[in-house]
Amino acid sequence: MSKRPALLAMPRILYGTAWKDTRTSDLVYEAFVQGFRGVDTAAQRKHYREDLVGAGLARACRELQLQREEVWIQTKYVVLLTRFTPLSGQDTKGPLPYDPAASVADQVCASFVSSLTHLHPDAQIPDVRALLAQYAVRANPDAARTEAPRQVVYLDSYLLHSPLPTLQGTLEAWVVMEALVDAGLVRHIGLSNVYDPHIFAMLFERARIKPSVLQNRWHSSTGHDVSLLALLSPVLSPNAFPPPADVLEAQPRGVAYQPFWTLTGNQRFLQSDAVALVSSQRGLTPAQVVYAFVSQGMGLPGLTTCVLSGTTDTQHMREAVEAVRTAELDPWDDAELASLRREVYGE
Ligand SMILES: NC(=O)c1ccc[n+]([C@@H]2O[C@H](COP(=O)([O-])OP(=O)(O)OC[C@H]3O[C@@H](n4cnc5c(N)ncnc54)[C@H](OP(=O)(O)O)[C@@H]3O)[C@@H](O)[C@H]2O)c1
């Protein structure tokens, strides 16, 4: 039997698939031609066409001869409980991937099956509920002693798009995500749109399987997540970026930070003298400088980051991949990164 290739580590840049509508499939394919090896999408029809992301990925894998293991597939899901929230986060004109009156656990499960199906159009989708019954540690404590199987069809990373209105609701969803990891259907689980370090710390503490990703808006209105960053890095000195003292734990975190709005929400930074200087010294566009800076954890010790770029322009795709890849091979020096960081965080 031929050996399956090693699994890909999270790339430092993912192709963002929001707001592309019917162009999604072609743009995902083009992004892979230009060197992207991962996508970020969501089961949220209002902003994403997850089904067309799957079609674009299938074409890219076929035509570029990539195996599933050489591609990073990340998606997010939204829990909508009629008892909690209006359906504003979803496009109710299109089909919802689940019944909004169902329990949190049932919604997560149904949404996951729908995402897995969208993102692997050519594959046979396993019986997810049967696998959960067999391997979920909570449902079956004996499963804790069994090594998690590696399924043929899986997601690299699965994120909760936003926390639910209650901690209890969020934890209900999280337990299902943990079970998906137990069953080998998901490699990493994570959170998005968590801006309060208290909430992040509480979820982190209560989770049996810890979040590996935090995907947040990178913007001055939230202080560019200044008080969260020290919670994500296993080694970042709390003195450099202090989170509120009562949420700081000695325990290492090691959570990858995935900012969005990196260009659109940071025009002042993009047009700053600091970016212009690095841009002229390195012969990069200002957007490349910002992406390369972010991809290097903004020079913060131990901070892992992943750039999200949703460009629709072929040249911008190529430039983004090149900037991130070059910085990965030949990291910038501390002084250069600090000059950019000062512009954002004013340290
Ligand atoms: N979790 C959430 O709530 C959430 C929210 C928003 C977004 N996201 C994710 O993040 C991804 C990225 O979204 P985003 O809001 O950060 O915006 P974006 O889609 O990455 O970029 C927006 C703008 O930046 C321009 N641009 C991109 N690369 C460029 C380059 N190299 N040089 C010059 N201009 C460039 C684009 O123009 P061109 O097309 O002309 O290049 C576009 O106008 C989304 O697709 C989605 O996957 C997640």
Side-chain angles (χ1 to χ4, degrees), residues 15-20 40-41 48 76 161 192-193 195 215-216 259-264 285 287-288 291 308-313 315-317 319-320:
Y15 186 60
T17 60
W19 314 301
K20 295 174 171 62
D40 172 72
T41 185
Y48 299 83
K76 307 181 279 293
H161 187 276
S192 181
N193 294 302
Y195 297 96
Q215 182 178 111
N216 265 2
F260 57 85
W261 280 21
T262 307
L263 301 182
T264 43
T285 67
Q288 284 183 302
Y291 280 160
L308 296 171
S309 172
T311 176
T312 53
D313 179 294
Q315 186 174 332
H316 289 164
M317 290 176 181
E319 286 174 356

Side-chain angles (χ1 to χ4, degrees), residues 43-46 51 90-98 114 118:
Q44 191 185 31
R45 184 109 189 216
K46 188 173 183 177
D51 55 335
Q90 289 281 17
D91 182 350
T92 46
K93 286 199 290 292
L96 288 172
Y98 43 73
S114 165
H118 281 158

Side-chain angles (χ1 to χ4, degrees), residues 32-71:
F32 273 68
V33 170
Q34 298 307 327
F36 281 85
R37 286 297 173 263
V39 287
D40 172 72
T41 185
Q44 191 185 31
R45 184 109 189 216
K46 188 173 183 177
H47 302 296
Y48 299 83
R49 287 295 306 268
E50 201 185 40
D51 55 335
L52 297 184
V53 172
L57 279 174
R59 180 178 168 207
C61 287
R62 224 172 22 245
E63 294 189 19
L64 305 175
Q65 297 186 347
L66 297 169
Q67 301 208 41
R68 170 66 186 87
E69 285 83 352
E70 297 172 281
V71 168

